[in-house]
Structures are given as C-alpha cells and as structure tokens.
Amino acid sequence: WGGFLYNDTELGISQLGNSPVWSIAQKDRLAVWLDTRFGPTFSLSAQGSYTFTLDRPYLFDIDSLKADWRPAPSLRIEAGRMTMSDFTGLVLNHTLDGLRFGFDVPFAKIAASASYSGLLLKPVSTIIMSRTDSADLADNAVYFAAPRLVEELDALFPQLFLRQDLRVSILL
C-alpha cells in the first residue's frame, strides 16, 4: 500500500493591448493505492484519488480496481478498471472497465479483451470521437465519458523467423 501527492502550478502572462494579463493554473492530486495477494493465484489492486483544480475544486475517482486470477499456469484472467493498450500504445492507451484473458501456449502468447468507457468520469477520459462527445464535454448534466466498447485480440509468436517476433493485433 502507499500513496502520492502531485502538484502542478503554472503561472502565465499574456498581452492584452498594452497591459499584461497574469493567469494561474493549479492542479493537486492525492492518491492512495493497495496491492495485495491472496495466494499464488489471486491478487487484487486498487487506486483511488482526489484531484483539485481551480476549475473543479473536487474530483474523486477510482483510478484502478483490478482482480488478477491465474486458474492454470497458462491462463490469466483480469477483470476491473485497468489500463488497456495496444502493443504500441499509440492507438489505444486508456483506463477502461473490462475483462482480459491471456493464454500462453508453447508457440504463442494470445490475449483477448473487451472493455467499456462509459463508466469513467468525464474529466478523466480523453476519448472524444464524435461531435456528440465534444458537446457532452461542455454539458454539465453529463457526468460520464463517451460510451465506447473496445475489443482487442493480440497474438505474439516469439522467435518465429530468425529470432524475430511476429505480433498480430486487432483492435475494434
């Protein structure tokens, strides 16, 4: 278990006509986390945080809440709120609520996942794919992020050709 405190303070100056305009941006984040094992095959991890900004004086969030179960040496099941990412991290790298299965076979490592973004709070989501999503950002009556279903199938074939790995991934 543990925690951290993060502070980001920015002081800006811009010109409006002949007079300078000063601005300040403030962000403070306090988080606590827990990672515990209930034996060699099951673990639970969680992190929650409180964020203060000048625009939004309070934001409480569950950053992650993940159960990890290994019912067999070659099978891994993860469920909860966790970071979902493609193998590059350039197409998808976001916290989502979902389920991930990992299979290790002698010739490949295969992973399949399905996740959902609609239960995240709007201020912590960066998924904006349509005009409706942009309009929801300005609407104070909308509390949750854009509802998106994300599926991924990933297969890694290690040392397939002359010690070169081949990775095939589908992200929907």
Side-chain angles (χ1 to χ4, degrees):
W1 62 274
F4 65 87
L5 176 63
Y6 168 83
N7 174 273
D8 183 13
T9 304
E10 297 176 11
L11 184 61
I13 185 169
S14 60
Q15 197 72 20
L16 183 64
N18 291 334
S19 61
V21 177
W22 293 86
S23 64
I24 188 166
Q26 178 72 36
K27 180 178 181 180
D28 297 306
R29 184 169 179 221
L30 175 66
V32 294
W33 58 269
L34 170 71
D35 190 4
T36 184
R37 306 231 178 266
F38 295 99
T41 62
F42 186 73
S43 66
L44 184 66
S45 63
Q47 179 176 312
S49 66
Y50 162 72
T51 304
F52 168 84
T53 60
L54 295 174
D55 299 338
R56 186 178 297 104
Y58 58 90
L59 175 65
F60 294 95
D61 191 24
I62 298 172
D63 301 325
S64 67
L65 178 59
K66 180 176 75 167
D68 188 340
W69 182 40
R70 294 182 180 261
S74 62
L75 177 62
R76 180 178 186 172
I77 301 170
E78 297 172 282
R81 180 166 288 180
M82 59 193 141
T83 301
M84 298 288 196
S85 175
D86 67 294
F87 67 94
T88 65
L90 298 173
V91 177
L92 175 69
N93 188 10
H94 204 282
T95 299
L96 299 169
D97 298 317
L99 185 63
R100 180 185 302 146
F101 293 96
F103 307 99
D104 293 340
V105 291
F107 61 90
K109 294 182 178 196
I110 301 167
S113 66
S115 51
Y116 180 67
S117 65
L119 298 175
L120 297 172
L121 294 175
K122 182 173 59 173
V124 298
S125 176
T126 58
I127 298 175
I128 303 168
M129 299 176 64
S130 69
R131 288 184 184 164
T132 305
D133 298 343
S134 297
D136 286 348
L137 282 177
D139 188 358
N140 290 334
V142 177
Y143 297 106
F144 295 105
R148 299 287 184 257
L149 182 62
V150 179
E151 300 95 11
E152 182 183 20
L153 182 60
D154 184 79
L156 172 66
F157 302 96
Q159 299 188 11
L160 190 61
F161 304 110
L162 302 172
R163 295 189 301 177
Q164 298 297 310
D165 296 346
L166 174 66
R167 182 168 233 154
V168 179
S169 183
I170 299 170
L171 188 64
L172 304 168

